[in-house]
Amino acid sequence: MSNPGQHMAAEIAEQPAVLGGLVARRGDIADVAAAISRRPPRFALLAARGSSDHAALYAKYLIEVLLGLPAGLVSPSTVTLYGARPDLRDVLLVSVSQSGGSPDLLEFTQTARKQGALTVAVTNTPASPLGGAAELAVDIGAGTETAVAATKTYSATLLALYLLIDAVRGGDGSAAAEIEPLARQALEADVHRAVDRYRFVDRIITTGRGYSYATALESALKLAETSYLAARAYSGADLLHGPVAAVDEETAVLAITGAGRGGAALRDVLAAVAERGADVLALGSSADAVPAAVRIPVPSVAEELAPVLEVLPVQRIALGLALARGFDPDRPRGLNKVTRTR
């Protein structure tokens, strides 16, 4: 019988090597980018579910900021349940799925291709139905993931999307050249104080701005699915538009705060929740510069790459909290590795 959390722990530890391997295979991703550049899109759509949906949101920011193109997250049910057939000529559709086995994403991708979209599958299983349905495919190359909670496939998906979009804009991926040692450094962060402090918390808010909003969403999911916490993610901007009223001394706030524009925009948010007595855990490259009960610094990197590193200590916190609360994060209640929806 396996020890609780051993699969999740092992896959968290694999991430620096997985990320380094992706950088080494950047040429394959650049070939996909070149094919996209030969058919310049009017705008981009992204299709995903679960953790992959958070990666897709990250890609939305990349596309809008780095490429200057409008981008949006699709609602697959408009096609799968309602039979919509939108005109997708000169549109780029990026379907993101770690398993490549979600029926609704498969159907949406097939339909989008028929409707004129240039379709790209970003998946850990290139031989999957999704990989076969799309015109182009990016293999994130994370290897088999045994744990139910996605860790290495999530960070690898982020990096693959960054390398793809950076290549489309003509970049050489140099900003990610040192991602492997930086990831090792991020995984060495001391999370024990955070685990000890928050092991008895019942509800937690996660928040971030810009690129790091994706990290806030993924953090809430990881804490909910491994520790069964009532975790809710908000953009820092949205948190001040009403939800802050529910923040008090009994509220824990995980704030993803980096050194870029997103982190700077979060400062007023953190001041507001601190005034209401919230217990703030600050995590990111500027964690030491904000008011917080616990701070977990993350190595500094270009802001658009920060989510690849920010999520790594979060995964260790989720693992530690699950074990401290008596749960096995490798066997979360009612969850399977592949969720099939239509």
Side-chain angles (χ1 to χ4, degrees):
M1 181 174 291
S2 62
N3 296 322
Q6 73 174 39
H7 296 301
M8 185 176 178
E11 288 166 6
I12 288 173
E14 289 177 34
Q15 289 174 104
V18 169
L19 297 173
L22 255 178
V23 172
R25 293 186 293 104
R26 178 191 168 276
D28 296 336
I29 297 175
D31 289 341
V32 176
I36 294 171
S37 297
R38 288 192 292 269
R39 291 173 56 182
R42 293 182 293 121
F43 60 89
L45 295 174
L46 299 124
R49 293 289 193 194
S51 286
S52 293
D53 199 41
H54 306 154
L57 177 66
Y58 167 69
K60 180 180 185 295
Y61 276 88
L62 290 174
I63 291 167
E64 292 183 341
V65 176
L66 302 186
L67 300 184
L69 291 176
L73 303 178
V74 305
S75 300
S77 61
T78 59
V79 166
T80 61
L81 296 184
Y82 293 98
R85 295 295 181 265
D87 181 356
L88 297 179
R89 288 171 293 178
D90 300 323
V91 172
L92 172 66
L93 173 72
V94 181
S95 298
V96 186
S97 172
Q98 292 145 9
S99 68
S102 181
D104 55 350
L105 297 184
L106 174 61
E107 184 177 341
F108 191 96
T109 302
Q110 291 169 330
T111 300
R113 188 171 180 179
K114 291 176 183 176
Q115 295 300 110
L118 173 59
T119 52
V120 181
V122 178
T123 176
N124 194 42
T125 316
S128 64
L130 183 65
E135 187 171 341
L136 302 168
V138 172
D139 179 7
I140 70 171
T144 302
E145 195 169 50
T146 305
V148 173
T151 54
K152 64 179 182 177
T153 54
Y154 179 73
S155 60
T157 299
L158 294 183
L159 182 57
L161 288 165
Y162 170 78
L163 292 172
L164 176 66
I165 294 163
D166 176 67
V168 171
R169 69 166 173 170
D172 61 2
S174 57
E178 298 300 314
I179 202 72
E180 181 172 355
L182 290 173
R184 294 191 190 283
Q185 186 179 341
L187 283 176
E188 291 170 358
D190 185 359
V191 302
H192 295 96
R193 187 175 171 216
V195 171
D196 289 342
R197 187 176 184 90
Y198 301 107
R199 63 184 296 182
F200 298 113
V201 165
D202 290 322
R203 61 189 178 97
I204 186 167
I205 288 173
T206 65
T207 187
R209 291 291 307 270
Y211 297 107
S212 295
Y213 179 36
T215 309
L217 288 162
E218 178 65 9
S219 299
L221 176 61
K222 283 292 160 288
L223 293 169
E225 69 183 352
T226 60
S227 296
Y228 315 137
L229 282 167
R232 180 73 182 267
Y234 292 100
S235 159
D238 290 334
L239 183 56
L240 294 183
H241 285 272
V244 72
V247 174
D248 57 24
E249 296 85 353
E250 301 297 318
T251 308
V253 176
L254 169 56
I256 311 300
T257 174
R261 297 182 184 183
L266 198 64
R267 300 278 177 94
D268 290 344
V269 179
L270 296 184
V273 298
E275 286 178 4
R276 302 187 66 85
D279 195 295
V280 177
L281 164 57
L283 187 151
S285 57
S286 67
D288 287 335
V290 300
V294 180
R295 300 179 180 88
I296 300 178
V298 173
S300 183
V301 71
E303 183 178 5
E304 58 265 28
L305 266 173
V308 179
L309 300 180
E310 292 164 347
V311 75
L312 305 182
V314 171
Q315 294 168 351
R316 291 189 57 227
I317 292 170
L319 171 65
L321 282 175
L323 296 176
R325 291 160 67 91
F327 306 127
D328 182 357
D330 286 339
R331 296 177 176 82
R333 297 187 304 230
L335 295 182
N336 297 305
K337 188 60 187 168
V338 179
T339 301
R340 299 186 179 276
T341 56
R342 188 174 185 275

